[in-house]
Amino acid sequence: MEVFLIRLLQFMLAISLLVLLHEGGHFFFAKLFGVRVDKFYLFFDPWFHLFEFKPKNSDTAYGIGWLPLGGYCKIAGMIDESFDVEQMKQPQQPWEFRSKPTWQRLLIMIGGVLVNFLLALFIYSMVLFHWGDEYIGVKDMSMGFKFNTEAKQMGFQDHDILYSYDGKLFDRYDVDVFRHLADAKTVTVKRGGKEVTINMPEDLSLLTMLQASPAFARPFIPAEIDSVLPESPAAKVGIKKGDKILAINDKPVDSWNEFVYQVGVLSDVLSTAKTSADSLKTRTVQLVYASGEAVDTTQVVLSPELMLGVTQTSLANYYKPTQLKYGFFASFPAGIKYGLGVLRGYVNDLKYVATADGAKSLGGFGAIGSLFPPTWDWMMFWRMTAFLSIILAFMNILPIPALDGGHVLFLIYEMVTGRKPSENFMIKAEYVGFTILILLMIVANLNDILRWLGYL
């Protein structure tokens, strides 16, 4: 429960900040060009609101709604998600959005996206300035990777060190490694001190690679125990820190990758158990492990969740990370480069959304909230906030009616043709776009529920 509340608080804080600044971008340009803003709200307020304040001599009411799905800036004389058609029936006023030149209306509409995008780059820059950057270089991973059967059929072998893709060197170990593998025509690995080039299939999907079990490729990490939890199954049979697991139920284990896979096999068997005796039989495993030079075999009764009660070693146990520090001014170009890389990767991954697996991978508020760390970590919080800011900017600029990008599309049409779309058309387009967004939101959050129930 504590983890849930910490993640919820981080999520709400990040979303509130991003929504306020996004709507603030619209508000700034509207006020700059003398357009009246009727309402400025954090969260939506159908039927009622939690708080509202209207300063003296101000046309704008500021408030907080009860529905935390975003926020809005109600601009006078504009067809938006408020669907205030009565206002549009009144005579046009000089302070209204519809009375302003096209270029001013365009700046008002892109104001939110512009703020979110610049905010993301600024946050990334300040994160690099304050905390620096730390990563493990792929070339430094001397134990290489462990590959699944599909990867081995392509020509990869366990302990291959990823070297280059289409002639470009692999750099840091992150999700971009798998994007490069999915898009590459050829991949070169170092094997036994020699370079070996592998021709990659054209239909390799990033989603398939990441969802495969065992994974297409993961860093090879020996099954060495980092620590043992008190009163755990491992502690009860005398397993200690530094011991190395060699086999489970006569299945050789050369890495944590393999151990996790074998436990997954046990989980499949456990799901079919009909009695407590069947469950106990599945959870009772024979474990072979090395303690120094000695090799021991013991029976262990895993927990009902099939936990051994140990923590695994990680990449940091075997490889020294590269650390980069940035001065204040140097952090800005580095932050911009990093942010553009994040945006490029996100846009590249959108091609999978139209596939069946991509639709299943869509996530709603639960999936986004789970991306935040389970403990309060300011660096991770700001990184996630910057990432969400980039997503918010990109999604809002898509040419879908009801989004900023839809309004921008119609304004560009007006600038090119000299003809303004009719108000009746704009209202219908707004309804269509709003319906699309609601359906997408339902699908994404339904996926969260199905994942929680174990159906996805």
Side-chain angles (χ1 to χ4, degrees), residues 40-53:
F40 186 90
Y41 259 68
L42 173 64
F43 306 149
F44 294 119
D45 61 331
W47 304 296
F48 68 94
H49 54 257
L50 300 179
F51 166 81
E52 185 175 274
F53 170 70

Side-chain angles (χ1 to χ4, degrees), residues 87-371:
Q87 185 185 64
M88 303 303 293
K89 293 178 181 178
Q90 304 301 318
Q92 189 169 301
Q93 301 297 330
W95 62 77
E96 289 185 327
F97 177 83
R98 55 182 169 172
S99 301
K100 300 300 178 179
T102 311
W103 68 271
Q104 291 185 5
R105 285 182 280 140
L106 182 64
L107 284 175
I108 292 172
M109 291 316 308
I110 66 173
V113 168
L114 182 63
V115 166
N116 280 133
F117 182 65
L118 294 178
L119 174 67
L121 299 183
F122 177 76
I123 292 176
Y124 279 131
S125 299
M126 291 301 95
V127 166
L128 292 177
F129 169 64
H130 189 273
W131 287 284
D133 193 13
E134 182 175 291
Y135 66 91
I136 293 175
V138 176
K139 62 180 176 58
D140 299 325
M141 298 166 66
S142 56
M143 289 184 291
F145 284 69
K146 187 170 179 65
F147 299 88
N148 67 6
T149 301
E150 180 188 8
K152 289 177 179 177
Q153 289 173 347
M154 296 176 192
F156 292 99
Q157 294 182 13
D158 288 343
H159 296 292
D160 280 352
I161 301 172
L162 297 176
Y163 181 67
S164 67
Y165 60 98
D166 295 336
K168 303 173 185 176
L169 296 178
F170 284 103
D171 185 16
R172 62 178 65 204
Y173 176 66
D174 57 17
V175 71
D176 280 342
V177 169
F178 302 97
R179 290 192 180 105
H180 298 327
L181 286 172
D183 297 336
K185 295 181 179 179
T186 62
V187 171
T188 300
V189 301
K190 286 190 174 181
R191 181 184 302 162
K194 298 180 180 180
E195 293 184 10
V196 178
T197 298
I198 298 168
N199 294 317
M200 302 295 289
E202 294 182 358
D203 59 348
L204 186 58
S205 164
L206 174 65
L207 280 179
T208 302
M209 291 172 63
L210 296 179
Q211 294 173 354
S213 181
F216 181 90
R218 281 291 183 266
F220 191 97
I221 303 176
E224 187 176 348
I225 293 166
D226 190 55
S227 63
V228 180
L229 304 179
E231 302 301 318
S232 65
K236 291 176 181 177
V237 298
I239 294 175
K240 304 182 297 297
K241 173 182 173 65
D243 290 350
K244 187 178 293 186
I245 299 173
L246 302 178
I248 180 171
N249 286 346
D250 296 325
K251 301 293 184 182
V253 171
D254 61 355
S255 61
W256 282 120
N257 316 65
E258 186 63 31
F259 180 82
V260 170
Y261 174 71
Q262 293 300 334
V263 170
V265 172
L266 291 176
S267 179
D268 292 339
V269 176
L270 187 64
S271 66
T272 63
K274 297 180 180 180
T275 66
S276 57
D278 291 338
S279 174
L280 180 61
K281 182 179 179 181
T282 302
R283 292 191 293 115
T284 303
V285 300
Q286 186 181 63
L287 208 66
V288 180
Y289 66 98
S291 184
E293 297 296 324
V295 176
D296 293 313
T297 301
T298 186
Q299 273 196 342
V300 183
V301 180
L302 302 178
S303 73
E305 297 80 21
L306 296 178
M307 303 297 291
L308 181 58
V310 300
T311 59
Q312 305 175 6
T313 49
S314 65
L315 287 176
N317 291 89
Y318 303 99
Y319 305 118
K320 183 179 180 180
T322 298
Q323 294 181 325
L324 300 175
K325 296 294 183 181
Y326 296 92
F328 180 75
F329 294 106
S331 68
F332 287 98
I336 292 171
K337 180 180 178 181
Y338 189 93
L340 292 177
V342 171
L343 176 61
R344 187 163 50 248
Y346 178 74
V347 173
N348 180 71
D349 295 345
L350 283 179
K351 63 187 177 186
Y352 298 109
V353 173
T355 66
D357 287 338
K360 292 178 182 178
S361 70
L362 285 174
F365 298 116
I368 297 172
S370 67
L371 296 176

Side-chain angles (χ1 to χ4, degrees), residues 390-409:
I390 278 186
I391 291 178
L392 187 60
F394 180 79
M395 295 301 293
N396 262 285
I397 205 62
L398 291 176
I400 299 174
L403 291 178
D404 296 342
H407 292 281
V408 169
L409 178 66

Side-chain angles (χ1 to χ4, degrees), residues 15-24 26 39-46 63-74 80-82 365 392 396 402-404 434 441:
I15 289 299
S16 299
L17 175 65
L18 296 180
V19 168
L20 279 174
L21 291 175
H22 176 91
E23 299 303 333
H26 296 307
K39 280 187 172 184
F40 186 90
Y41 259 68
L42 173 64
F43 306 149
F44 294 119
D45 61 331
I64 300 176
W66 62 270
L67 189 60
L69 299 181
Y72 68 97
C73 177
K74 187 178 182 304
D80 57 13
E81 62 270 19
S82 67
F365 298 116
L392 187 60
N396 262 285
L403 291 178
D404 296 342
F434 197 74
M441 190 176 295

